[in-house]
Amino acid sequence: MRSLIAAFIATALSTLASPGWAASQSDYDDCNQTKDQDRRIAGCTRVIDDRKEPAGNRAKAHYGRGIGWYVKGDFDRALADLSEAIRLDPKFTAAYNDRGIVFQEKRDYARAISDTTRAMELRGKASYEDYLTRANSFRLSGNPSAALDDIKAAGSAYPDQQGPSYYYFLGWNLYLLGRYDEAIDAMTSAIAQRADYYWAYFRRGASYDKKGDRAKAREDLQKAAAHIEAEYWDDEAKAVFAQFGLQSPTGLPVNAQSLVGMYDLYNLKRFRTAGELPAPASRMVIAAGDGGTIQAGSPSDVVKPESVWKSVGKLQGRHGYYDWKFEDGKTGRTDFVVTADNDLIGHVQISDPARQAQFNWWYLAKRRP
């Protein structure tokens, strides 16, 4: 969620004042640039401290410094600067909007909703981001019904922006309201537009679980657990993954030697953009080299040796990969995560230059006893 908020907040930076202030040109430039937050804060401070500056210019400098503090994670200083920007300019729309975002970070949802609503009123027409920001505050405050209303309003006002995030937040609030079939439909729409939207897989899996469809729930949750790092798991994710025995991909490190053996491959999901992908071999063998180096290939009784189905990759923690190269020109990579049971959940991406096609394949590799 923090990344989404940061994306919203970054759009307001153009409101900073342009040259023409009493401070030096370098002060304006430092305050306006976005890459170096310390430089931004110092530049804005020099503008603020120049009492010859008109109130409007100092309001913009307070705003710029407030954004700098926000990006650095100092929410109290960000609030102080954004509040001063509003005091100096009571119609500073961006300051209301972004102070609402900071209140949201501090879990003061009532004030977050109030500030976002005020920004919407000042604009005359609420932006797409306004609706989603306020919807997030409503959801976090325990009011998914109001959140759903805002998300639907965003989709109605801006139909061209009904992308993956729109369907994800739509589905999340439908899930919270117990409308699991609608939640599944929304998450499916999000995944259709963005195949690597792993939080959407999680919430769709959780919805299937609520409906009692454990098989579909497990399929989605395996994909989510394999790609969402444990530091981002909220309490709900931890509880749901635990029900299915799924472990963080950043759990205890795995020794490459521990993966040596024969694996049976089970297809989880296969999809393609063009052409046809040959059926995968039913078995795979893994051997460990030096350090975290892993060699993978097919036993000769499954695929003929001349197919050159073998590769070398690396393992770090519970994450690993193989790079593939086939005799007929195809290349590819398998990214995988080691589960709690030392099975592998893999995602294969193969490029076929002859057909100008990309193929994707999800599999579960279960180690043979």
Side-chain angles (χ1 to χ4, degrees):
M1 180 55 58
R2 181 74 186 276
S3 62
L4 177 67
I5 293 172
F8 290 169
I9 209 166
T11 63
L13 295 174
S14 61
T15 62
L16 293 176
S18 59
W21 307 341
S24 71
Q25 179 65 52
S26 63
D27 295 336
Y28 316 141
D29 293 342
D30 287 346
C31 191
N32 277 287
Q33 61 81 38
T34 62
K35 293 181 179 180
D36 185 335
Q37 304 311 318
D38 291 329
R39 178 183 159 203
R40 172 195 281 178
I41 290 168
C44 291
T45 298
R46 291 191 294 272
V47 175
I48 291 167
D49 290 344
D50 187 341
R51 292 302 169 179
K52 296 179 181 178
E53 291 292 338
N57 287 346
R58 283 188 289 113
K60 292 171 183 176
H62 275 290
Y63 172 82
R65 191 170 70 176
I67 299 304
W69 289 125
Y70 170 84
V71 175
K72 286 172 67 69
D74 192 332
F75 302 141
D76 289 333
R77 286 181 172 177
L79 279 179
D81 268 323
L82 293 171
S83 296
E84 182 63 11
I86 290 169
R87 188 190 71 79
L88 291 167
D89 182 358
K91 293 186 178 181
F92 200 153
T93 305
Y96 278 109
N97 181 84
D98 296 334
R99 191 176 68 172
I101 289 172
V102 179
F103 275 132
Q104 190 181 104
E105 292 278 10
K106 289 178 66 65
R107 301 184 181 182
D108 190 340
Y109 303 123
R111 289 184 180 180
I113 291 166
S114 176
D115 271 1
T116 306
T117 301
R118 180 57 178 154
M120 295 164 81
E121 292 170 350
L122 287 170
R123 283 196 181 94
K125 179 182 179 181
S127 69
Y128 177 79
E129 290 78 11
D130 287 337
Y131 283 119
L132 262 63
T133 299
R134 192 172 68 175
N136 192 46
S137 293
F138 276 129
R139 176 185 61 78
L140 291 167
S141 70
N143 191 349
S145 180
L148 185 63
D149 288 343
D150 264 352
I151 292 168
K152 287 183 174 180
S156 177
Y158 301 94
D160 59 325
Q161 295 200 49
Q162 291 184 18
S165 294
Y166 167 80
Y167 286 108
Y168 172 76
F169 288 108
L170 180 72
W172 191 352
N173 286 283
L174 288 166
Y175 169 82
L176 293 173
L177 290 167
R179 295 160 62 174
Y180 302 124
D181 287 325
E182 294 173 84
I184 289 167
D185 288 343
M187 294 302 172
T188 299
S189 294
I191 292 166
Q193 294 188 37
R194 180 180 155 190
D196 65 347
Y197 205 152
Y198 297 112
W199 273 113
Y201 282 112
F202 167 74
R203 305 229 173 260
R204 189 173 71 175
S207 298
Y208 278 127
D209 184 39
K210 291 290 188 181
K211 286 173 56 66
D213 192 334
R214 299 279 290 182
K216 288 184 177 178
R218 176 173 289 278
E219 182 178 346
D220 276 348
L221 294 172
Q222 282 177 325
K223 295 173 186 176
H227 290 86
I228 302 173
E229 306 241 350
E231 62 182 298
Y232 301 112
W233 290 12
D234 56 21
D235 290 340
E236 180 189 10
K238 292 175 183 176
V240 172
F241 287 143
Q243 289 180 30
F244 286 81
L246 298 172
Q247 187 169 326
S248 162
T250 55
L252 295 175
V254 176
N255 188 305
Q257 190 68 35
S258 69
L259 297 182
V260 172
M262 183 82 74
Y263 291 77
D264 291 320
L265 304 186
Y266 298 88
N267 193 37
L268 291 180
K269 181 175 181 182
R270 189 170 132 205
F271 53 96
R272 60 183 184 273
T273 56
E276 180 59 54
L277 181 65
S282 61
R283 274 178 279 171
M284 175 176 69
V285 63
I286 293 179
D290 295 334
T293 302
I294 295 175
Q295 294 179 323
S298 66
S300 59
D301 63 333
V302 177
V303 177
K304 295 179 180 179
E306 56 267 26
S307 68
V308 194
W309 186 50
K310 55 187 174 183
S311 177
V312 175
K314 294 285 289 184
L315 175 72
Q316 287 187 307
R318 288 187 172 268
H319 291 280
Y321 71 88
Y322 311 117
D323 283 319
W324 299 94
K325 188 172 183 180
F326 299 84
E327 285 186 334
D328 60 3
K330 296 187 186 72
T331 59
R333 167 167 284 202
T334 296
D335 292 295
F336 70 87
V337 66
V338 183
T339 72
D341 299 323
N342 276 359
D343 296 330
L344 308 180
I345 297 176
H347 180 204
V348 183
Q349 294 180 296
I350 296 177
S351 175
D352 185 350
R355 302 188 194 179
Q356 295 185 333
Q358 294 282 339
F359 303 98
N360 291 269
W361 172 46
W362 285 93
Y363 70 82
L364 170 65
K366 290 193 69 67
R367 186 172 174 177
R368 288 191 169 195

